[in-house]
Amino acid sequence: MFTGLLFLAVIIGSIVFHVWTPWWWTDIASNWSAMDDTIILSFWIGGGVFILVCLFMVYCIFRYQYKEGRRSEYKPEDKKLEKGLTWLTTIGVVALLAPGLVVWNNYIRVPDNAIQVEVMAWQWGWKYRLPGQDGKLGASNNRIISDDNPYGLNIDDPNGKDDVFVESNELHLLKDRPVKILLRSIDVLHNFYVPQFRSKMDAVPGTITYYWFEPNKNGEYEVLCAEYCGVAHYAMRGKVVVEDEGSYNKWLSEQETFSSFTAKNRNNKLNKKKFVKINNLSSNKNSILKEQDVR
Ligand code: CUA
């Protein structure tokens, strides 16, 4: 009797908590409302089954409680009941999985007008690469990453020359324009996740994974790494700014291209060589002076 009432309290408590929960999703800021719909469908199916199973148990507790002289029936098999349960479970599982497959299919079918954005994940931070005027990202390979070539670009690929380097945790995106996110990692598994966009995927070293979304609300959003990747995983955050064309183009023009990066690097190296030379000269002078002193 007491157990039955306790069970009833658990059911009612669960429903009340679900309706008045203090934890819920952030406001959506992309096209992926289908993600929310599939999760809500899972809540309905999972919640419905939970309530039915619990109510059945409450019913059994009351209906079959101990009564003197009553004996239980031995019934090892019930074909009709088993058939019904099998069908019900099948329908439930299909309803849980099928909508997700449909959404996934859209998730990886990128619209033609999408802007490519490469997300480079590293322990522990983010940086980005955008195609230049040609709209194409140059070919890359993690094996040729160096100080001179931080994205491992194939220098023989003309598509890479005008690629834009964003060596910062902050990425800007155009409002109402689809983006194709291409994910790379230089060390371990990471996961690029902006909760408001309802989209995420693992960045896997050695391969390029992708998905797309369309930001549709101006604002600043936090990027989180959603794959445990070491001691500073918690701090692997970034920022995405969704804005209109004017401010987006201004930001874009402030970023560096691969060509200008290489040119600057070459100059730095030349300067460094000069510096070393001057240093050598002065140390030579010192040694001459010293020699004179000795004399
Ligand atoms: Cu990168 Cu967690």
Side-chain angles (χ1 to χ4, degrees):
M1 180 76 180
F2 176 70
T3 326
L5 290 177
L6 200 69
F7 239 126
L8 217 53
V10 168
I11 302 170
I12 294 166
S14 304
I15 297 170
V16 167
F17 186 78
H18 179 75
V19 176
W20 280 292
T21 176
W23 302 299
W24 197 241
W25 307 326
T26 51
D27 286 342
I28 186 167
S30 84
N31 59 310
W32 288 123
S33 54
M35 297 282 177
D36 293 2
D37 296 341
T38 46
I39 294 173
I40 285 173
L41 183 70
S42 304
F43 273 149
W44 275 104
I45 295 171
V49 170
F50 170 76
I51 291 168
L52 286 179
V53 168
C54 288
L55 284 178
F56 177 68
M57 288 201 277
V58 174
Y59 166 79
C60 291
I61 288 169
F62 284 104
R63 176 71 179 77
Y64 300 111
Q65 58 186 307
Y66 175 73
K67 226 185 223 164
E68 227 185 305
R70 184 156 72 183
R71 299 205 42 154
S72 56
E73 184 191 350
Y74 178 62
K75 199 177 186 184
E77 222 174 274
D78 187 333
K79 285 256 162 70
K80 209 175 137 206
L81 184 68
E82 276 164 28
K83 224 180 225 171
L85 283 177
T86 306
W87 273 111
L88 229 98
T89 315
T90 308
I91 292 167
V93 171
V94 168
L96 279 172
L97 297 183
L101 291 177
V102 175
V103 178
W104 173 260
N105 188 38
N106 294 333
Y107 193 56
I108 53 166
R109 210 178 273 183
V110 185
D112 291 336
N113 65 333
I115 301 178
Q116 297 191 352
V117 174
E118 180 183 86
V119 174
M120 241 327 210
W122 53 277
Q123 279 174 318
W124 288 273
W126 310 96
K127 54 186 191 172
Y128 312 93
R129 179 165 64 111
L130 300 159
Q133 294 294 331
D134 60 357
K136 285 179 200 149
L137 285 169
S140 64
N141 188 334
N142 275 8
R143 288 181 201 279
I144 51 175
I145 288 176
S146 66
D147 286 347
D148 296 344
N149 190 354
Y151 291 76
L153 290 196
N154 179 349
I155 46 170
D156 297 327
D157 185 353
N159 290 336
K161 296 280 183 259
D162 62 347
D163 282 6
V164 177
F165 288 2
V166 184
E167 298 227 44
S168 146
N169 269 340
E170 186 176 320
L171 171 71
H172 288 225
L173 294 175
L174 266 176
K175 183 179 165 259
D176 294 331
R177 179 78 191 263
V179 265
K180 179 182 186 180
I181 299 286
L182 294 137
L183 291 157
R184 286 171 71 195
S185 166
I186 60 170
D187 35 52
V188 298
L189 285 184
H190 301 277
N191 189 312
F192 185 73
Y193 180 38
V194 177
Q196 287 85 348
F197 297 156
R198 303 294 195 268
S199 56
K200 58 156 124 155
M201 194 177 277
D202 269 10
V204 184
T207 189
I208 298 172
T209 50
Y210 70 89
Y211 64 90
W212 76 277
F213 65 88
E214 185 178 307
N216 55 18
K217 229 182 246 169
N218 281 357
E220 284 185 22
Y221 307 99
E222 194 174 27
V223 179
L224 308 168
C225 178
E227 193 72 73
Y228 184 65
C229 57
V231 290
H233 158 72
Y234 72 95
M236 193 169 161
R237 292 172 176 187
K239 195 163 104 181
V240 173
V241 178
V242 176
E243 58 195 358
D244 297 319
E245 211 157 354
S247 35
Y248 175 78
N249 286 339
K250 186 174 168 287
W251 169 81
L252 196 60
S253 66
E254 286 161 4
Q255 308 306 314
E256 193 159 39
T257 61
F258 182 38
S259 317
S260 74
F261 177 87
T262 355
K264 198 178 77 186
N265 224 24
R266 209 175 296 130
N267 279 342
N268 276 348
K269 273 212 175 128
L270 285 178
N271 285 341
K272 219 185 226 170
K273 261 188 200 151
K274 257 187 224 158
F275 180 73
V276 172
K277 239 184 204 167
I278 293 167
N279 254 3
N280 281 347
L281 275 178
S282 57
S283 62
N284 277 346
K285 224 188 261 166
N286 278 339
S287 52
I288 293 168
L289 281 178
K290 265 182 207 150
E291 276 170 34
Q292 282 174 340
D293 283 348
V294 173
R295 244 185 268 153

mmCIF file of all heavy atoms in Angstrom, residues 121-126 188-191 225-230 232-234 236, ligand 1:
data_model
loop_
_atom_site.group_PDB
_atom_site.id
_atom_site.type_symbol
_atom_site.label_atom_id
_atom_site.label_comp_id
_atom_site.label_asym_id
_atom_site.label_seq_id
_atom_site.Cartn_x
_atom_site.Cartn_y
_atom_site.Cartn_z
ATOM 1 N N ALA A 121 40.997 22.762 -34.292
ATOM 2 C CA ALA A 121 40.983 22.548 -32.849
ATOM 3 C C ALA A 121 42.369 22.128 -32.383
ATOM 4 O O ALA A 121 43.056 21.383 -33.071
ATOM 5 C CB ALA A 121 39.969 21.471 -32.497
ATOM 6 N N TRP A 122 42.787 22.635 -31.249
ATOM 7 C CA TRP A 122 44.085 22.253 -30.687
ATOM 8 C C TRP A 122 43.981 22.249 -29.168
ATOM 9 O O TRP A 122 43.066 22.862 -28.599
ATOM 10 C CB TRP A 122 45.192 23.203 -31.164
ATOM 11 C CG TRP A 122 44.895 24.657 -30.930
ATOM 12 C CD1 TRP A 122 44.135 25.463 -31.731
ATOM 13 C CD2 TRP A 122 45.322 25.467 -29.841
ATOM 14 N NE1 TRP A 122 44.064 26.725 -31.207
ATOM 15 C CE2 TRP A 122 44.789 26.770 -30.044
ATOM 16 C CE3 TRP A 122 46.112 25.240 -28.712
ATOM 17 C CZ2 TRP A 122 45.014 27.817 -29.146
ATOM 18 C CZ3 TRP A 122 46.325 26.293 -27.829
ATOM 19 C CH2 TRP A 122 45.784 27.557 -28.058
ATOM 20 N N GLN A 123 44.916 21.604 -28.515
ATOM 21 C CA GLN A 123 44.939 21.604 -27.045
ATOM 22 C C GLN A 123 45.559 22.906 -26.560
ATOM 23 O O GLN A 123 46.768 23.061 -26.643
ATOM 24 C CB GLN A 123 45.751 20.419 -26.522
ATOM 25 C CG GLN A 123 44.979 19.129 -26.496
ATOM 26 C CD GLN A 123 45.865 17.969 -26.103
ATOM 27 O OE1 GLN A 123 47.001 17.868 -26.556
ATOM 28 N NE2 GLN A 123 45.343 17.072 -25.283
ATOM 29 N N TRP A 124 44.805 23.952 -26.084
ATOM 30 C CA TRP A 124 43.398 23.930 -25.909
ATOM 31 C C TRP A 124 42.824 25.224 -26.409
ATOM 32 O O TRP A 124 42.859 26.226 -25.683
ATOM 33 C CB TRP A 124 43.051 23.739 -24.427
ATOM 34 C CG TRP A 124 43.335 22.346 -23.956
ATOM 35 C CD1 TRP A 124 42.477 21.280 -24.031
ATOM 36 C CD2 TRP A 124 44.506 21.826 -23.347
ATOM 37 N NE1 TRP A 124 43.052 20.140 -23.506
ATOM 38 C CE2 TRP A 124 44.313 20.457 -23.073
ATOM 39 C CE3 TRP A 124 45.749 22.374 -23.004
ATOM 40 C CZ2 TRP A 124 45.272 19.641 -22.479
ATOM 41 C CZ3 TRP A 124 46.707 21.555 -22.420
ATOM 42 C CH2 TRP A 124 46.462 20.212 -22.158
ATOM 43 N N GLY A 125 42.340 25.207 -27.604
ATOM 44 C CA GLY A 125 41.743 26.415 -28.169
ATOM 45 C C GLY A 125 41.265 26.180 -29.586
ATOM 46 O O GLY A 125 41.320 25.055 -30.100
ATOM 47 N N TRP A 126 40.787 27.279 -30.185
ATOM 48 C CA TRP A 126 40.256 27.202 -31.548
ATOM 49 C C TRP A 126 40.911 28.251 -32.408
ATOM 50 O O TRP A 126 41.272 29.317 -31.931
ATOM 51 C CB TRP A 126 38.749 27.477 -31.547
ATOM 52 C CG TRP A 126 37.969 26.686 -30.567
ATOM 53 C CD1 TRP A 126 37.591 27.072 -29.315
ATOM 54 C CD2 TRP A 126 37.455 25.371 -30.740
ATOM 55 N NE1 TRP A 126 36.878 26.067 -28.700
ATOM 56 C CE2 TRP A 126 36.777 25.011 -29.552
ATOM 57 C CE3 TRP A 126 37.499 24.437 -31.786
ATOM 58 C CZ2 TRP A 126 36.160 23.783 -29.376
ATOM 59 C CZ3 TRP A 126 36.871 23.209 -31.617
ATOM 60 C CH2 TRP A 126 36.215 22.898 -30.415
ATOM 61 N N VAL A 188 44.224 15.797 -30.477
ATOM 62 C CA VAL A 188 43.316 14.740 -29.993
ATOM 63 C C VAL A 188 41.888 15.060 -30.420
ATOM 64 O O VAL A 188 41.650 16.048 -31.108
ATOM 65 C CB VAL A 188 43.379 14.621 -28.454
ATOM 66 C CG1 VAL A 188 44.767 14.230 -27.996
ATOM 67 C CG2 VAL A 188 42.951 15.910 -27.782
ATOM 68 N N LEU A 189 40.925 14.242 -29.996
ATOM 69 C CA LEU A 189 39.523 14.499 -30.305
ATOM 70 C C LEU A 189 39.047 15.764 -29.599
ATOM 71 O O LEU A 189 39.301 15.954 -28.413
ATOM 72 C CB LEU A 189 38.644 13.342 -29.819
ATOM 73 C CG LEU A 189 38.637 12.032 -30.582
ATOM 74 C CD1 LEU A 189 37.618 11.103 -29.937
ATOM 75 C CD2 LEU A 189 38.284 12.242 -32.041
ATOM 76 N N HIS A 190 38.380 16.646 -30.327
ATOM 77 C CA HIS A 190 37.672 17.781 -29.747
ATOM 78 C C HIS A 190 36.273 17.782 -30.349
ATOM 79 O O HIS A 190 35.958 16.947 -31.203
ATOM 80 C CB HIS A 190 38.375 19.100 -30.080
ATOM 81 C CG HIS A 190 39.792 19.168 -29.605
ATOM 82 N ND1 HIS A 190 40.132 19.519 -28.324
ATOM 83 C CD2 HIS A 190 40.969 18.914 -30.239
ATOM 84 C CE1 HIS A 190 41.459 19.496 -28.195
ATOM 85 N NE2 HIS A 190 41.987 19.127 -29.344
ATOM 86 N N ASN A 191 35.434 18.723 -29.923
ATOM 87 C CA ASN A 191 34.092 18.791 -30.500
ATOM 88 C C ASN A 191 33.617 20.238 -30.495
ATOM 89 O O ASN A 191 33.541 20.877 -29.444
ATOM 90 C CB ASN A 191 33.139 17.901 -29.682
ATOM 91 C CG ASN A 191 31.783 17.750 -30.340
ATOM 92 O OD1 ASN A 191 31.166 18.736 -30.759
ATOM 93 N ND2 ASN A 191 31.297 16.530 -30.424
ATOM 94 N N CYS A 225 34.000 23.199 -26.106
ATOM 95 C CA CYS A 225 34.505 21.922 -26.584
ATOM 96 C C CYS A 225 33.668 20.841 -25.890
ATOM 97 O O CYS A 225 33.551 20.829 -24.673
ATOM 98 C CB CYS A 225 35.972 21.738 -26.248
ATOM 99 S SG CYS A 225 36.585 20.128 -26.783
ATOM 100 N N ALA A 226 33.061 19.968 -26.680
ATOM 101 C CA ALA A 226 32.151 18.978 -26.110
ATOM 102 C C ALA A 226 32.734 17.565 -26.168
ATOM 103 O O ALA A 226 32.013 16.579 -26.292
ATOM 104 C CB ALA A 226 30.806 19.028 -26.826
ATOM 105 N N GLU A 227 34.066 17.486 -26.116
ATOM 106 C CA GLU A 227 34.701 16.169 -26.079
ATOM 107 C C GLU A 227 35.858 16.276 -25.099
ATOM 108 O O GLU A 227 36.719 17.139 -25.260
ATOM 109 C CB GLU A 227 35.195 15.804 -27.470
ATOM 110 C CG GLU A 227 35.594 14.362 -27.638
ATOM 111 C CD GLU A 227 34.422 13.413 -27.643
ATOM 112 O OE1 GLU A 227 33.689 13.377 -28.644
ATOM 113 O OE2 GLU A 227 34.227 12.728 -26.619
ATOM 114 N N TYR A 228 35.893 15.404 -24.099
ATOM 115 C CA TYR A 228 36.926 15.518 -23.088
ATOM 116 C C TYR A 228 38.302 15.350 -23.738
ATOM 117 O O TYR A 228 38.576 14.334 -24.356
ATOM 118 C CB TYR A 228 36.727 14.480 -21.975
ATOM 119 C CG TYR A 228 37.736 14.675 -20.890
ATOM 120 C CD1 TYR A 228 37.724 15.841 -20.135
ATOM 121 C CD2 TYR A 228 38.720 13.738 -20.640
ATOM 122 C CE1 TYR A 228 38.676 16.061 -19.159
ATOM 123 C CE2 TYR A 228 39.670 13.948 -19.668
ATOM 124 C CZ TYR A 228 39.645 15.106 -18.926
ATOM 125 O OH TYR A 228 40.598 15.333 -17.977
ATOM 126 N N CYS A 229 39.160 16.377 -23.613
ATOM 127 C CA CYS A 229 40.398 16.383 -24.398
ATOM 128 C C CYS A 229 41.628 16.711 -23.562
ATOM 129 O O CYS A 229 42.642 17.141 -24.100
ATOM 130 C CB CYS A 229 40.259 17.373 -25.547
ATOM 131 S SG CYS A 229 39.866 19.042 -25.012
ATOM 132 N N GLY A 230 41.576 16.544 -22.262
ATOM 133 C CA GLY A 230 42.752 16.786 -21.436
ATOM 134 C C GLY A 230 42.471 17.751 -20.312
ATOM 135 O O GLY A 230 41.330 18.171 -20.118
ATOM 136 N N ALA A 232 42.891 20.900 -19.710
ATOM 137 C CA ALA A 232 42.311 22.238 -19.900
ATOM 138 C C ALA A 232 41.059 22.193 -20.782
ATOM 139 O O ALA A 232 40.654 23.199 -21.346
ATOM 140 C CB ALA A 232 43.337 23.190 -20.483
ATOM 141 N N HIS A 233 40.461 21.014 -20.869
ATOM 142 C CA HIS A 233 39.227 20.858 -21.675
ATOM 143 C C HIS A 233 38.176 21.899 -21.294
ATOM 144 O O HIS A 233 37.552 22.524 -22.141
ATOM 145 C CB HIS A 233 38.690 19.445 -21.466
ATOM 146 C CG HIS A 233 37.247 19.277 -21.764
ATOM 147 N ND1 HIS A 233 36.743 19.296 -23.046
ATOM 148 C CD2 HIS A 233 36.176 19.096 -20.956
ATOM 149 C CE1 HIS A 233 35.430 19.118 -23.011
ATOM 150 N NE2 HIS A 233 35.068 19.005 -21.757
ATOM 151 N N TYR A 234 38.014 22.101 -19.982
ATOM 152 C CA TYR A 234 36.993 23.025 -19.482
ATOM 153 C C TYR A 234 37.224 24.450 -19.980
ATOM 154 O O TYR A 234 36.292 25.244 -20.076
ATOM 155 C CB TYR A 234 36.962 22.997 -17.951
ATOM 156 C CG TYR A 234 38.169 23.680 -17.344
ATOM 157 C CD1 TYR A 234 38.099 25.020 -16.970
ATOM 158 C CD2 TYR A 234 39.379 23.003 -17.187
ATOM 159 C CE1 TYR A 234 39.208 25.664 -16.439
ATOM 160 C CE2 TYR A 234 40.484 23.632 -16.682
ATOM 161 C CZ TYR A 234 40.389 24.960 -16.305
ATOM 162 O OH TYR A 234 41.483 25.597 -15.812
ATOM 163 N N MET A 236 38.515 25.289 -22.893
ATOM 164 C CA MET A 236 38.602 25.362 -24.354
ATOM 165 C C MET A 236 37.334 26.006 -24.898
ATOM 166 O O MET A 236 36.440 25.343 -25.393
ATOM 167 C CB MET A 236 38.794 23.958 -24.923
ATOM 168 C CG MET A 236 39.211 23.987 -26.370
ATOM 169 S SD MET A 236 39.728 22.378 -26.905
ATOM 170 C CE MET A 236 39.597 22.575 -28.669
HETATM 171 CU CU1 CUA B 1 38.927 20.130 -26.679
HETATM 172 CU CU2 CUA B 1 37.676 19.259 -24.889
#
